[in-house]
Amino acid sequence: MSGKLIEFIRQRDYVLVKELGEGAWGKTVLLQDLDIDEYLVCKKYAPYDESQREKLYQNFVREIKLLHQLFHRNVVRVFNYYLYPQQFSGYILMEFVQGKDVDSYLKDAPEEINEAFAQTIEGFAYLESANVLHRDIRPRNILVRDDGTVKIIDLGFGKKVTAPADFNKSISINWPYPPPADFNEGRYDFATEVYFVGKLFEKIIQDYGIFDFQHWGTLQEMCKHLPAERVASFANIAQRLRAQRLSEVDFTPTELDSYRSFSSCLRDHITKIEAGAKYY
């Protein structure tokens, strides 16, 4: 039975709720699945320039593949896709994020700056661990749900990096910040992404006069023009934030004794820890 083609004969139907936006590569609409009473975002591949349809089609396929490889609380989820290679057309069905972009969210709720920053770092640290460059870091691509959950969206310019040559700068986007020194060397890597996330939050904080941000030292390191002076990675930043949160927890003597007893028992039963283990 192995290798037998499984045919799905039932066509899925959705209700069009409204259009959400239009970009260089196509339209995005909000759909409703009546069978499960849920809303989905559908991204249709339809580039402005029809002469580029065939050439850019593989970029759309790459975005689908990247999204299917990712699963994290702070990265948008993909549920399904439909590709029509003969027509160089296709659709992606994704999680609907009910909320605002990070700029608008923090304008209305500046007291949430530290939580939004921490979640954004966690999301990009996950992409970094998966060797995925986002390459289009701007407020509209970092959304915040109504419950405060940050979601990184739009991997249309995303790239899976597997070799040093993959860090060569191959795109130019009109960012509202001065370009980092990395660009002088034709390089775009994870340290470059650290710079753009840092500049994004720096601008939000300055624009809205937010004074209770708790990570100024780290943010300043993220925004350094020279890569050699910049904090090395999102993993490094995430580790700092977790350590700071832990240091703010005030344990009682009884709680400390319980923790020490538990950790000692755990240590005695573990014979090996994998090199790739992550600690939260």
Side-chain angles (χ1 to χ4, degrees), residues 208-273:
Y208 304 128
I210 301 174
F211 297 106
D212 57 349
F213 184 62
Q214 298 173 354
H215 313 291
W216 275 112
T218 297
L219 188 65
Q220 289 175 336
E221 285 187 60
M222 293 173 67
C223 296
K224 292 292 186 181
H225 182 69
L226 298 175
E229 300 177 357
R230 197 179 307 143
V231 61
S233 66
F234 288 108
N236 183 294
I237 302 167
Q239 187 176 18
R240 292 188 193 185
L241 300 188
R242 292 172 199 149
Q244 183 172 336
R245 286 185 172 184
L246 186 60
S247 68
E248 295 170 353
V249 178
D250 187 16
F251 291 105
T252 66
T254 302
E255 289 171 334
L256 284 173
D257 288 340
S258 298
Y259 173 76
R260 287 168 180 152
S261 175
F262 168 76
S263 60
S264 296
C265 292
L266 187 62
R267 179 197 59 201
D268 293 341
H269 284 77
I270 293 178
T271 57
K272 180 182 178 183
I273 298 178

Side-chain angles (χ1 to χ4, degrees), residues 1 11 25 75 124 138 216 252 257 262 267:
M1 295 296 290
Q11 178 179 331
W25 290 4
V75 178
F124 278 101
R138 58 185 72 228
W216 275 112
T252 66
D257 288 340
F262 168 76
R267 179 197 59 201

Side-chain angles (χ1 to χ4, degrees), residues 15-28:
V15 175
L16 174 63
V17 179
K18 63 179 179 180
E19 293 189 3
L20 297 176
E22 188 170 359
W25 290 4
K27 296 181 178 180
T28 304

Side-chain angles (χ1 to χ4, degrees), residues 167-169 178-196 222-232:
F167 293 114
N168 293 336
K169 182 177 178 294
D182 316 36
F183 285 9
N184 297 334
E185 304 172 4
R187 186 173 179 80
Y188 188 111
D189 57 16
F190 291 109
T192 315
E193 302 238 291
V194 166
Y195 172 83
F196 282 117
M222 293 173 67
C223 296
K224 292 292 186 181
H225 182 69
L226 298 175
E229 300 177 357
R230 197 179 307 143
V231 61

Side-chain angles (χ1 to χ4, degrees), residues 90-116:
Y91 305 83
I92 311 176
L93 290 178
M94 296 176 289
E95 171 186 11
F96 172 50
V97 181
Q98 179 72 49
K100 304 175 181 177
D101 68 75
V102 66
D103 185 282
S104 301
Y105 174 78
L106 292 174
K107 180 181 180 181
D108 296 336
E111 70 279 2
E112 298 297 332
I113 181 68
N114 295 297
E115 180 62 25

